[in-house]
Amino acid sequence: MKKFDLLTPIGILIGISMVAFGVISSGGVQGFLIFIDFPSMLIVLGEFSELYASAFRLGSFVICGELVYKLFNQRNQMLMN
């Protein structure tokens, strides 16, 4: 049985909160809205998918897409009930 590493989620939360605090403290809520840039998010997601596609076999890549589709489809069905 693997031990649960408590410091990983804590570190992720602290990192995200520090970035959010830095953006909001320098520009307020308007600065946070400027910080979120749609083309930059597309670049990051595109690079992530390219990296994932080059690191794994095609079958794993297709299965991941199917799982993500099922996850979001199941969530929409759960919200409707």
Side-chain angles (χ1 to χ4, degrees):
M1 184 172 170
K2 290 175 89 175
K3 278 181 97 174
F4 180 71
D5 182 22
L6 186 61
L7 291 179
T8 301
I10 291 173
I12 291 171
L13 288 175
I14 290 173
I16 291 172
S17 63
M18 294 302 286
V19 169
F21 176 74
V23 171
I24 291 174
S25 68
S26 65
V29 176
Q30 186 65 25
F32 190 72
L33 294 176
I34 293 172
F35 180 74
I36 298 175
D37 186 33
F38 185 69
S40 298
M41 290 179 5
L42 285 178
I43 291 171
V44 169
L45 290 175
E47 289 295 322
F48 175 74
S49 359
E50 185 273 328
L51 178 71
Y52 184 79
S54 65
F56 295 101
R57 294 181 180 173
L58 180 62
S60 299
F61 192 71
V62 171
I63 289 173
C64 180
E66 291 173 359
L67 290 175
V68 169
Y69 175 76
K70 287 180 183 178
L71 174 72
F72 285 111
N73 192 21
Q74 180 182 16
R75 183 171 178 222
N76 288 338
Q77 289 176 357
M78 289 173 59
L79 290 175
M80 289 180 187
N81 291 333

